[in-house]
Amino acid sequence: MSSASYSLHGPVAVITLDNPPVNGLGLAVRQAIVAGIDAAAADPAVQAVVLIGNERFFSGGADVREFGTPKAMQEPTLLTVIATVERSAKPVIAAISGVCMGGGLELALGCHFRIARSDATVALPEVKLGLLPGAGGTQRLPRVVGLETALNMIVSGAQVPAAQLKATALFDEVVDSELLPAALALANKVVQEGRGLPRVRDRKVNEPNAEAFLQFARNTVGAMSKHFPAPLKCLEAVAAAANKPFDEGQKIEREGFLALMQTPESRALRHVFAAERAASKISDVSADTPVRAIVKVGVIGAGTMGGGIAMNFLNAGIPVVMLETKAEALERGIGTIRKNYENSLKKGKLTQDKLDARMALLQPTLDYADLSDVDLVIEAVFEDMGVKQQVFEKLDSVCKPGAILASNTSTLDLNQIASFTKRPQDVVGLHFFSPANVMRLLEVVRGDATAQDVLATSMALAKTIKKQAVVSGVCDGFIGNRMVARYGQAAHDLIVAGALPQQVDKALEKFGFAMGPFRMGDLAGLDIGWAIRKRRNAENPAEAKPNVADALCEAGRFGQKTGSGWYRYIPGNRVAQPDPVVEEVIVAFRAAHGVTPRQISDEEIIERCVYALVNEGARIVEEGIAQRASDVDIVYLNGYGFPLHRGGPMLYADQVGLVNVERALKRFAAEPGADVAFWTPAALLSRLAAANETFN
């Protein structure tokens, strides 16, 4: 059973936390710490106690497996554990290596002394879950590192190296040597020198200009935190440490913690935290599935997407063979990669040595034969099935047995692509989002024949290149682009009905989207959607629908890259300017289709666009394209700019109430001239609404 062990090293008792993977402070661990302190108190031979973790983790804080369960609040709570440590009649020394964060750092702050390895890191990251530290962190940390440093750490949640805090009262010693012997030596020294039982809570915050600094911080934090209440709550709790007695400050901290726990923003962030971890689990692929070694990667295509994909692997120290069909395109692609790295160099984010090392890993080629020894090859060529066929037939003939053949297709049938090879089990979709070297999302598309070890390898590789991977089944557009098509259709129908692009965009940006659908279309390029519509219309003529954007594309208005799309753009300026020409095109479209425009509210814009997303997300989950609703949320948060403080479309629907979402969809479907099939609630949505249940 994971808890903590108790052992004696001469006159020093050692309590070793043992709760993999991060030494979370679950109930069994908390009980074991209290039992260890009690055992040490009862043993007259014990003169001091050392509390230690392992090399990788002192403690990562609360045990996430107990979130939402009775164990989380069962005694001894973390507050009780810290009080027990603090009241110990024998000195307790926290010995910190690896990561010490959240409740782990609060526990260490409750100890009488602290020693750390110089490569350890400390943090109070609760703000990232929409919370504040709830076990004294906002009160104790300012007392040992100062007001400004503590506030920066708590409001950002960032990890800070122990070496950086060496000069503060947080640590009594920072060492490079083996930690346990150093901690035992400190414990013996503390006893021999009679240092007593100093408590952090008894210290004062030493900041002569505290109020002026705090007022400046309020203005800064308020401007930066926007939709999130936690940063300002953190600030007020830290302010209490500076101007109130410890117990009063801790009361303010606790009240702030409990208030934040009830906010939709915290619920959203906690949902995202759990959803990101759940996304890595594939129901029928066990965690111990062997993975294939990826030592060398091939990328086909040196354009914007291919170059961005290549950079992910170069950044991770993995050699890349980049293939193009023409020397000019290859040289241009290499130049773009180098320019991107040089921009990072100018910003101080990269050193010249690292730039040179990354470029040295890149092998440009015009010859498919140079891909014969790669372990993985990713094609990033034109989104056309005929082009994909040529590429995969060639890869099948030149790549070694066991090499993974991946497509970056965003909409095409991966099963058909796999059929172009004699090894469909080795084919997988790796759908990167543009710009691929920046965007965090990676859709891992599972074909009917994709082998389990190929999936396991893809998910592991995503972590290596710092991507958030989500598994998708095969359908037109997979998870993200299938949903965005519905979102775009809802937005399009709103401008036909009476809105204008700028009204739709502003309403959705006010809701929290990073960018409205029409600005997003201009950024991505309207010709991309045009090509997809033409393909779909050719495949399903009966489902073809006229689209205002077709008229814009026919006029050469493809968005920012041509200076005009749904908006117009001044050269050298990406600010979208409403264009009377677009309004004329929309008015003509309405007239041609017998539409009398009406007034449309911002509320209706949000309902139609977001509920269209939710409804399609429900269908995707029901069909098994996504494993779980939270995977849909992760895709939309990381790939499409859905507001983080709302937790994704499916969680947003949960918070609105699925009954209310279903009623709105039925209302839209019942309107005269409505696309009934589009607005009919998904069976999963109706089923959950009837049972008063939620997606998550």
Side-chain angles (χ1 to χ4, degrees):
M1 180 178 172
S2 297
S3 58
S5 62
Y6 181 88
S7 60
L8 294 176
H9 294 251
V12 181
V14 176
I15 302 171
T16 305
L17 306 185
D18 182 20
N19 185 22
V22 300
N23 275 339
L25 298 171
L27 176 60
V29 176
R30 302 195 302 271
Q31 290 171 333
I33 294 171
V34 170
I37 296 293
D38 289 346
D43 187 345
V46 172
Q47 296 181 327
V49 180
V50 166
L51 190 59
I52 193 169
N54 56 46
E55 283 192 13
R56 293 184 61 242
F57 285 93
F58 173 77
S59 172
D63 192 330
V64 296
R65 293 166 294 193
E66 293 185 2
F67 279 8
T69 73
K71 285 184 176 181
M73 297 306 295
Q74 191 172 329
E75 291 287 359
T77 64
L78 181 56
L79 284 167
T80 300
V81 174
I82 293 171
T84 302
V85 168
E86 208 169 42
R87 286 197 298 262
S88 169
K90 297 173 181 180
V92 182
I93 295 92
I96 299 167
S97 58
V99 174
C100 173
M101 64 167 59
L105 180 55
E106 290 177 303
L107 174 59
L109 286 164
C111 295
H112 304 109
F113 301 93
R114 286 156 298 282
I115 181 172
R117 275 187 54 89
S118 59
D119 54 0
T121 59
V122 297
L124 290 173
E126 287 82 358
V127 71
K128 295 180 179 180
L129 296 180
L131 299 170
L132 54 73
T138 65
Q139 302 308 296
R140 290 187 176 90
L141 190 63
R143 286 170 158 82
V144 289
V145 301
L147 195 61
E148 183 173 357
T149 299
L151 186 62
N152 288 340
M153 287 178 64
I154 293 168
V155 168
S156 71
Q159 291 191 40
V160 178
Q164 191 173 312
L165 299 168
K166 185 176 182 178
T168 72
L170 176 58
F171 300 117
D172 297 276
E173 290 185 14
V174 175
V175 299
D176 295 314
S177 57
E178 191 177 345
L179 184 61
L180 181 56
L184 293 170
L186 175 60
N188 286 311
K189 191 190 304 181
V190 161
V191 173
Q192 290 164 8
E193 294 177 0
R195 294 193 192 177
L197 302 167
R199 302 188 305 175
V200 171
R201 63 178 290 149
D202 296 331
R203 300 177 67 96
K204 301 292 183 188
V205 175
N206 185 19
E207 178 56 61
N209 298 311
E211 206 44 56
F213 168 73
L214 288 167
Q215 192 51 53
F216 168 77
R218 285 184 187 97
N219 296 336
T220 305
V221 172
M224 292 173 61
S225 53
K226 292 184 180 178
H227 302 291
F228 296 98
L232 279 172
K233 282 281 189 188
C234 287
L235 191 153
E236 294 310 326
V238 170
N243 52 42
K244 293 186 183 300
F246 182 88
D247 288 333
E248 281 187 43
Q250 187 154 33
K251 184 171 180 285
I252 289 169
E253 174 191 270
R254 195 66 188 162
E255 288 170 351
F257 178 85
L258 293 173
L260 288 169
M261 277 290 287
Q262 305 306 315
T263 62
E265 293 84 3
S266 178
R267 183 183 173 190
L269 292 175
R270 284 180 279 133
H271 166 72
V272 173
F273 178 83
E276 288 183 347
R277 281 144 189 81
S280 66
K281 297 175 176 64
I282 307 171
S283 57
D284 62 337
V285 179
S286 65
D288 59 356
T289 300
V291 297
R292 304 186 188 185
I294 306 296
V295 179
K296 191 176 186 182
V297 170
V299 175
I300 301 176
T304 301
M305 181 59 78
I309 291 171
M311 287 179 70
N312 289 295
F313 295 98
L314 299 175
N315 295 347
I318 299 173
V320 175
V321 180
M322 192 163 72
L323 180 142
E324 256 294 355
T325 55
K326 294 182 180 177
E328 310 85 59
L330 189 59
E331 299 234 347
R332 190 163 55 248
I334 296 167
T336 299
I337 291 173
R338 181 175 288 280
K339 184 179 178 183
N340 287 339
Y341 282 141
E342 286 173 347
N343 287 338
S344 296
L345 179 69
K346 289 175 187 174
K347 294 174 184 175
K349 295 179 179 179
L350 196 68
T351 64
Q352 186 65 51
D353 286 350
K354 285 187 176 178
L355 187 158
D356 294 341
R358 290 177 187 182
M359 291 304 298
L361 292 171
L362 182 62
Q363 177 190 341
T365 185
L366 300 171
D367 189 351
Y368 269 90
D370 288 331
L371 298 171
S372 62
D373 64 341
V374 300
D375 304 295
L376 162 72
V377 61
I378 305 169
E379 65 76 13
V381 300
F382 188 65
E383 192 77 340
D384 176 85
M385 191 61 83
V387 177
K388 306 285 189 191
Q389 180 171 355
Q390 293 174 20
V391 169
F392 274 83
E393 287 176 348
K394 188 70 175 175
L395 291 176
D396 196 32
S397 68
V398 301
C399 289
K400 67 182 182 183
I404 296 174
L405 311 183
S407 173
N408 181 55
T409 180
S410 57
T411 57
L412 298 179
D413 185 342
L414 187 78
N415 291 325
Q416 188 177 349
I417 291 172
S419 74
F420 301 142
T421 75
K422 298 182 182 69
R423 43 172 129 177
Q425 73 280 0
D426 292 335
V427 177
V428 69
L430 293 179
H431 177 211
F432 290 80
F433 287 70
S434 186
N437 55 307
V438 175
M439 294 291 281
R440 189 166 171 248
L441 180 64
L442 177 65
E443 277 185 319
V444 176
V445 184
R446 178 181 196 169
D448 291 344
T450 304
Q452 289 193 348
D453 67 334
V454 170
L455 274 177
T457 302
S458 299
M459 299 301 281
L461 191 62
K463 290 183 179 178
T464 300
I465 61 174
K466 299 181 179 176
K467 297 294 182 189
Q468 174 62 59
V470 174
V471 175
S472 171
V474 176
C475 65
D476 194 340
F478 314 125
I479 297 172
N481 282 338
R482 175 173 159 178
M483 288 175 65
V484 83
R486 294 288 183 170
Y487 174 72
Q489 185 64 47
H492 172 269
D493 292 351
L494 282 162
I495 62 169
V496 173
L500 288 173
Q502 54 268 31
Q503 183 195 353
V504 174
D505 282 349
K506 283 178 182 174
L508 288 162
E509 286 162 12
K510 187 176 180 181
F511 176 79
F513 275 90
M515 193 176 287
F518 298 104
R519 285 181 61 213
M520 185 173 72
D522 276 1
L523 178 64
L526 301 187
D527 51 327
I528 296 171
W530 191 32
I532 292 170
R533 285 194 300 278
K534 287 191 284 188
R535 172 181 64 78
R536 287 174 175 161
N537 292 345
E539 292 171 355
N540 300 290
E543 295 182 14
K545 294 178 181 177
N547 194 297
V548 175
D550 293 346
L552 299 179
C553 290
E554 286 161 6
R557 299 177 67 107
F558 295 151
Q560 287 189 16
K561 60 188 171 187
T562 58
S564 64
W566 289 108
Y567 299 89
R568 62 184 178 84
Y569 300 88
I570 298 167
N573 190 336
R574 289 176 176 263
V575 176
Q577 309 281 343
D579 192 340
V581 172
V582 174
E583 188 169 350
E584 290 170 11
V585 171
I586 293 170
V587 169
F589 187 94
R590 291 172 186 157
H593 293 86
V595 176
T596 302
R598 62 181 176 83
Q599 287 290 317
I600 293 174
S601 68
D602 288 357
E603 181 184 15
E604 182 181 353
I605 290 170
I606 292 163
E607 279 195 339
R608 285 182 179 268
C609 290
V610 176
Y611 291 176
L613 279 178
V614 171
N615 205 30
E616 196 64 15
R619 293 189 181 109
I620 284 169
V621 174
E622 187 172 28
E623 294 168 20
I625 300 301
Q627 291 186 94
R628 52 187 76 86
S630 62
D631 284 0
V632 173
D633 287 334
I634 293 302
V635 167
Y636 240 78
L637 287 164
N638 287 284
Y640 297 88
F642 197 90
L644 177 61
H645 70 282
R646 300 189 188 276
M650 311 310 277
L651 183 76
Y652 176 72
D654 285 345
Q655 294 188 320
V656 169
L658 300 192
V659 170
N660 295 322
V661 175
E662 185 194 34
R663 285 173 61 85
L665 291 169
K666 286 180 175 178
R667 187 174 75 247
F668 299 149
E671 291 175 351
D675 184 337
V676 177
F678 184 97
W679 291 114
T680 296
L684 175 62
L685 172 57
S686 292
R687 193 162 62 249
L688 292 173
N692 197 29
E693 294 179 357
T694 59
F695 288 123
N696 296 285

